[in-house]
Amino acid sequence: MDIANISQSDKEPLKYEELYCSANLTGDNPSIAIAVSVNVLLSITAILGNTLIFVALNKASSLHPTSKILFYNLVTTDLLVGLVSQPMIIIYWMSLINEARDFCRGVFVLHAVSSYVLCGMSLLITTSISVDRLLALSLELRYHQVVTKRRTCVLLTTLWAISIVFSTLFVKNNQLSMTYTHVITFLCLTISTISYNTIFVKLRLRRNQVEVFEGSESNCESQSSQLRITRYKKALSSALWLQITLIICYTPYGVLLLLAPNESAISVTVVLSGRITKTLVFLNSSLNPILYCWKLREIRQVVKSTTQKLLYMCW
């Protein structure tokens, strides 16, 4: 039976935890075993990689304090994905193999809530980073006065609270959490797109202005201006790569949700596709540490020295 019979004329539709633990939609055990193996590996890499980045951020001095707070929170979400969300989905898949239906439903709810919270926060934080980069370019010297540590902490605390509240509603109302996911995803992508487009327009205008007035400026002023722009572009590049990677990893699962939003359309094929696309979502948490090391020189140096010390201690 490919399509689960989840609604009847005299009954309410089954909740997602009942549907996804149904014997009709478990799929074959080999596919589950592969998904479990891959996610065990990704969970380990996410924990190790983000722990190293967390240590590196403590020692990094070149990052602006507010930017560091944003990165701290993003690393924390990625670390918790490896510590919580991935183990939960692994336990959920193992319960399917063992046909522990009651246990399966409870674990599925915990996995869904934790994933909504953490993946939603990853999306919100990367969007906040894009807005932060726009403010840094637009405000220039006023940036340090407007974007303070206190305001950044208040913003992030608010975002965490909103994400947790709407995600825990999954326990009572699956569709409400799904609606929250769609709305937040749309808003975040829209804000990020506008922010980066505005940044590129401003950088193009500034480059043209520098070329026009370069002859009238002193060499010292010109070099200082070019140095600020160079530093800004490096920070922008790291933020942009984080955004692009998140979109690449999240898009397949988002498309799946849009193509099969109706419970009555959920089939074994959709469930199997969900295992693949969810794994891709979790892959983002393992890729981010690589991006930090690639785009942030100071982080790369600290991670390298820390890794060498750990290897020396092991030997």
Side-chain angles (χ1 to χ4, degrees), residues 243-260:
Q243 185 79 45
I244 292 172
T245 305
L246 182 140
I247 292 174
I248 292 173
C249 291
Y250 279 47
T251 296
Y253 186 66
V255 171
L256 181 65
L257 292 179
L258 290 175
L259 293 179

Side-chain angles (χ1 to χ4, degrees), residues 11-46:
K11 293 183 180 180
E12 294 183 356
L14 296 177
K15 290 187 176 182
Y16 281 112
E17 58 267 29
E18 296 171 332
L19 173 63
Y20 280 92
C21 290
S22 169
N24 297 321
L25 294 177
T26 56
D28 57 320
N29 288 349
S31 70
I32 298 178
I34 294 172
V36 168
S37 301
V38 172
N39 277 271
V40 167
L41 177 62
L42 291 179
S43 177
I44 294 172
T45 56

Side-chain angles (χ1 to χ4, degrees), residues 137-150:
L137 181 63
S138 302
L139 298 176
E140 294 184 349
L141 296 178
R142 293 179 55 240
Y143 170 76
H144 299 283
Q145 300 174 351
V146 175
V147 183
T148 62
K149 290 176 63 176
R150 181 178 179 276

Side-chain angles (χ1 to χ4, degrees), residues 260-274:
N262 193 339
E263 291 179 349
S264 62
I266 296 177
S267 64
V268 171
T269 302
V270 173
V271 172
L272 292 176
S273 300

Side-chain angles (χ1 to χ4, degrees), residues 34-315:
I34 294 172
V36 168
S37 301
V38 172
N39 277 271
V40 167
L41 177 62
L42 291 179
S43 177
I44 294 172
T45 56
I47 293 171
L48 295 177
N50 286 286
T51 299
L52 283 172
I53 298 300
F54 205 95
V55 173
L57 283 173
N58 280 327
K59 299 180 179 180
S61 58
S62 61
L63 290 175
H64 185 263
T66 55
S67 297
K68 186 180 287 190
I69 291 173
L70 290 170
F71 282 124
Y72 266 133
N73 278 265
L74 186 56
V75 171
T76 299
T77 60
D78 289 332
L79 181 59
L80 289 176
V81 165
L83 286 170
V84 180
S85 292
Q86 284 185 284
M88 283 296 172
I89 201 171
I90 290 169
I91 295 172
Y92 157 65
W93 285 331
M94 293 300 295
S95 68
L96 289 178
I97 295 177
N98 295 322
E99 298 183 356
R101 305 300 171 195
D102 292 336
F103 181 70
C104 174
R105 287 190 285 270
V107 174
F108 180 84
V109 171
L110 292 175
H111 151 67
V113 172
S114 65
S115 296
Y116 277 130
V117 172
L118 298 176
C119 295
M121 278 305 300
S122 293
L123 191 58
L124 289 167
I125 294 170
T126 52
T127 303
S128 300
I129 291 174
S130 70
V131 175
D132 176 71
R133 291 300 83 206
L134 175 59
L135 291 175
L137 181 63
S138 302
L139 298 176
E140 294 184 349
L141 296 178
R142 293 179 55 240
Y143 170 76
H144 299 283
Q145 300 174 351
V146 175
V147 183
T148 62
K149 290 176 63 176
R150 181 178 179 276
R151 290 174 179 173
T152 304
C153 289
V154 170
L155 171 65
L156 289 170
T157 301
T158 303
L159 293 179
W160 274 104
I162 292 173
S163 186
I164 291 171
V165 168
F166 279 94
S167 297
T168 51
L169 289 176
F170 182 88
V171 178
K172 294 293 184 181
N173 192 324
N174 299 157
Q175 286 299 330
L176 186 58
S177 287
M178 291 292 291
T179 301
Y180 159 78
T181 301
H182 292 147
V183 171
I184 287 298
T185 300
F186 174 77
L187 289 176
C188 287
L189 292 179
T190 301
I191 293 172
S192 296
T193 301
I194 293 174
S195 297
Y196 284 117
N197 282 337
T198 305
I199 287 171
F200 292 140
V201 170
K202 286 181 174 291
L203 285 175
R204 191 178 301 113
L205 291 173
R206 184 159 300 186
R207 184 184 62 187
N208 293 336
Q209 290 174 353
V210 169
E211 291 176 354
V212 171
F213 296 104
E214 191 173 21
S216 62
E217 292 181 349
S218 66
N219 290 333
C220 182
E221 291 175 344
S222 178
Q223 291 176 359
S224 177
S225 176
Q226 289 295 334
L227 181 60
R228 287 197 301 270
I229 293 297
T230 300
R231 288 176 177 174
Y232 176 81
K233 286 182 176 180
K234 288 181 179 180
L236 176 65
S237 177
S238 61
L240 187 57
W241 272 102
L242 287 171
Q243 185 79 45
I244 292 172
T245 305
L246 182 140
I247 292 174
I248 292 173
C249 291
Y250 279 47
T251 296
Y253 186 66
V255 171
L256 181 65
L257 292 179
L258 290 175
L259 293 179
N262 193 339
E263 291 179 349
S264 62
I266 296 177
S267 64
V268 171
T269 302
V270 173
V271 172
L272 292 176
S273 300
R275 289 176 192 149
I276 297 172
T277 55
K278 282 183 180 179
T279 300
L280 189 59
V281 168
F282 293 142
L283 174 64
N284 180 246
S285 296
S286 296
L287 291 178
N288 281 345
I290 299 175
L291 295 177
Y292 295 130
C293 293
W294 175 37
K295 304 304 296 185
L296 299 174
R297 181 180 178 183
E298 187 175 9
I299 297 296
R300 179 170 65 251
Q301 291 175 340
V302 175
V303 169
K304 183 178 179 180
S305 62
T306 303
T307 304
Q308 289 175 342
K309 290 179 181 178
L310 289 174
L311 291 174
Y312 179 78
M313 290 174 62
C314 292
W315 284 101

